[in-house]
């Protein structure tokens, strides 16, 4: 396992470095991430490189048994570059050029930025590529910002020409007859600027795809350069479930392994963190790293609450339990200058060790006892959720209802599995689904022909598919399908959407369960109301009070050897839980381990056996009977007790 910290030696005098390395070694660290914002320190003037300081700290760390991941510093372009070439600064949606007082301030499509990035990445990879301490690379940092400059516009037009071939095809695909938006020259095509009103949704959708391709190209270029000098694994640090600005799945597919930055601010609901772990594991269907694990309070202006005693340890085990093979804490020592003065880490500002240091050290000491058993294990899920970036892009311009949020819909459905400790992979819609017993696709708004076929085939051959309202609405170019919804899938669901409504947030709509499993009055419906007409499906839940009482909200249909559920509204959690119970039983998914509220459990399986990770995410003590088959207490060593007691934020790891 990789265990360590994000370290910024460039912030501190060199005579401190050895002390830092020693303290890291004493904490049991074997890995440090370095340099991802150190561009101006490495290249203080154009073409002048100073790697000696970096080589010195790498040597010191190595002497203390610590290896390094090098971050390419392209997310922090130096001031000299931004001022010498002001046109490389990004332009925002309001067509304003940003000022260079932050990071990520350059346009990744600008040729001058690209050549500067090539130069720094080449120099870094050439200097460190064969360094014995370097075990991996992180390209850039948290990809995300878009740019709306003229260079991007030109490249977008080229991208569109390559995609559509002729303006006739593009005009048709985007439906530009609306409001006389028909283009007669490629150069007329704008970017989705905000000035003047929202853009054509098809244009906006393609712009997000274009920018995802731009970042994919930017990443590819860096990978190619690094590969000339190093054969060590390459990653990028993503941001979990929430960001939806780029198609991160597309970027991830180029990497050797995926990592992400986990900041469960304050009392963040562990559901979202779990889903993020499941998502990043799903990008490549393999274990991942947490490249930045919050280890202290943080914030740029207001500071978040400090992690209570035990929480950093709990976050660590929670991540490992869901497939993390590397935990790198953010950060070693809070900085004295700059925007992140409030971002705390393992040490205090004055360099002294904090209680957090001892908690992390304890975690590492424990893990050392059984990490050889963690190696080679991973999560075995029978359920998959589809996270669809095209749909997420489309919703950003057309939410449909002010209360709609893709992530909160996904998390409501996910929570019903998570609370039962049923393992879930979060994957993209184009993947092979055959290994899953249940596939849940929340609001699959944009449904391409191949995804429709993939889903159909999945159900036909025995899978259980669950989709919700606002699925199968738009085609690949963002036009509304010219057929009844769910388009392309009416036969799979044996039902069509006869009418729909986007209710006012104050409007009360209740549901009535018709089946045995979801019996009687069940819960509130909100956000969106699809009125279903049955074409062979069986009704499971109807609307009770509110808009069109008595009409059907949720259906189930047999199709081929499989089953398809359509959920026409956003159900409150209790109703969603009941329905999910029924879906799980119907699909024959193995039951999860039962835990009290706020306590979760996950299993890593491998050739040498299974490890069960149990985390109490609450301040309340909890007890659970020892699950059958898990006989060893990996933390304490020896046989596990029959009742597992977990104090506030306490964890347990049991071995089979
Ligand atoms: C992350 C970022 C880090 C640091 C941290 C705390 O998103 O990658 O560099 O800024 O947030 O703000």
């Amino acid at each position: 396992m990789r265990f360590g910290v994000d370290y910024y030696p460039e912030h501190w005098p060199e005579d401190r470095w050895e002390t830092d390395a020693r303290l890291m070694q004493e904490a049991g660290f074997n890995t440090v991430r370095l340099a991802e914002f150190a561009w101006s320190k490495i290249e203080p003037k154009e073409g002048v490189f100073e790697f000696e300081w970096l080589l010195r700290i790498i040597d010191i760390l190595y002497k203390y048994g610590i290896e390094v991941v090098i971050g390419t510093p392209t997310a922090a372009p130096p001031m000299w570059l931004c001022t010498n070439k002001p046109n490389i600064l990004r332009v925002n949606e309001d067509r304003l050029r940003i000022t260079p007082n932050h990071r990520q301030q350059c346009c990744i499509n600008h040729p001058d930025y690209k050549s500067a990035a090539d130069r720094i990445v080449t120099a870094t990879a050439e200097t460190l590529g064969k360094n014995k301490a370097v075990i991996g690379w992180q390209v850039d940092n948290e990809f995300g910002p878009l740019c709306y400059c003229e260079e991007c516009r030109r490249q977008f037009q080229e991208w569109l020409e390559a995609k559509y071939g002729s303006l006739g095809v593009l005009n048709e695909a985007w439906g530009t007859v609306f409001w006389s938006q028909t283009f007669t020259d490629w150069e007329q095509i704008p970017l989705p600027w905000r000035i003047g009103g929202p853009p054509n949704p098809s244009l906006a959708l393609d712009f997000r795809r274009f920018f995802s391709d731009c970042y994919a190209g930017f990443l590819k270029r860096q990978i190619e350069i690094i590969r000339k000098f190093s054969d060590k694994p390459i990653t990028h640090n993503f941001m979990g479930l929430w960001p939806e600005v780029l198609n991160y799945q597309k970027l991830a597919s180029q990497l050797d392994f995926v990592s992400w930055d986990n900041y469960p601010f304050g009392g963040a609901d562990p559901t979202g963190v779990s889903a993020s772990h499941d998502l990043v594991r799903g990008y490549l269907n393999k274990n991942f790293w947490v490249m930045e694990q919050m280890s202290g309070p943080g914030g740029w202006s207001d500071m978040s609450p400090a992690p209570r005693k035990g929480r950093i340890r709990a976050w660590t085990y929670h991540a490992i339990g869901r497939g993390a093979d590397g935990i790198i804490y953010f950060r070693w020592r809070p900085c004295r200058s700059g925007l992140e003065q409030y971002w705390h880490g393992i040490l205090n500002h004055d360099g002294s060790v904090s209680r957090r240091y001892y908690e992390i050290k304890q975690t590492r000491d424990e893990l050392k006892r059984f990490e050889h058993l963690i190696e080679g294990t991973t999560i075995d899920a029978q359920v998959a959720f589809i996270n669809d970036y095209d749909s997420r892009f489309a919703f950003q311009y057309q939410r449909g209802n002010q209360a709609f949020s893709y992530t909160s819909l996904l998390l409501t459905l996910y929570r019903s599995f998570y609370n039962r400790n049923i393992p879930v992979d979060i994957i993209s819609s184009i993947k092979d689904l055959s290994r899953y017993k249940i596939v849940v696709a929340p609001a699959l708004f944009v449904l391409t022909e191949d995804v429709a076929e993939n889903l159909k085939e999945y159900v036909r051959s025995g899978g259980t598919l669950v989709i919700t309202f606002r699925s199968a609405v738009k085609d690949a170019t963002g036009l509304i399908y010219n057929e009844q919804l769910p388009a392309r899938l009416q036969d799979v669901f044996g039902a069509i959407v006869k009418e729909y409504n986007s209710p006012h947030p104050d409007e009360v709509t209740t549901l009535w369960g018709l089946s045995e499993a979801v019996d009687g009055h069940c819960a509130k419906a909100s956000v969106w109301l699809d009125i279903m007409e049955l074409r062979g499906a069986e009704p499971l839940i109807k609307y009770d009070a509110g808009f069109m009482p008595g009409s059907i909200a949720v259906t189930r249909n047999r199709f081929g050897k499989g089953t398809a559920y359509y959920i026409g509204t956003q159900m409150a959690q209790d109703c969603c839980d009941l329905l999910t119970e029924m879906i799980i039983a119907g699909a024959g998914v193995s039951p999860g381990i039962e835990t009290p509220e706020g306590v979760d459990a996950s299993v890593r399986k491998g050739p040498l056996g299974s490890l069960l990770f149990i985390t109490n995410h609450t301040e309340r003590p909890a007890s659970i009977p020892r699950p059958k088959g898990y006989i060893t207490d990996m933390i304490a060593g020896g046989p596990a007790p029959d009742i597992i007691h977990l104090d506030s934020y306490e964890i347990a790891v049991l071995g089979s």
Side-chain angles (χ1 to χ4, degrees), residues 372-378 604-611 656:
H372 59 287
L373 296 175
I374 302 180
E375 213 181 302
T377 62
T378 193
R604 284 182 64 149
K605 288 188 184 164
L608 297 178
S610 296
L611 290 167
S656 62

Side-chain angles (χ1 to χ4, degrees), residues 39 43-44 46 74 76-89 100 106 112-117 119-120:
W39 191 338
E43 191 185 5
E46 183 166 342
T74 42
M79 236 7 135
W80 55 256
L81 177 64
C82 302
T83 37
N84 290 353
K85 314 240 186 231
N87 285 344
I88 68 173
L89 293 170
C106 289
D112 288 338
Y113 174 68
K114 281 173 129 167
S115 67
R119 195 171 59 231
I120 185 77

Side-chain angles (χ1 to χ4, degrees), residues 8 37 103 141-142 237 261 263 292 300 330 340 343:
Y8 302 93
F37 298 121
R103 57 180 169 185
N141 190 77
E142 295 186 343
N237 53 336
D261 298 343
Y263 290 94
E292 296 180 16
W300 284 346
F330 185 87
E340 299 207 334
W343 266 106

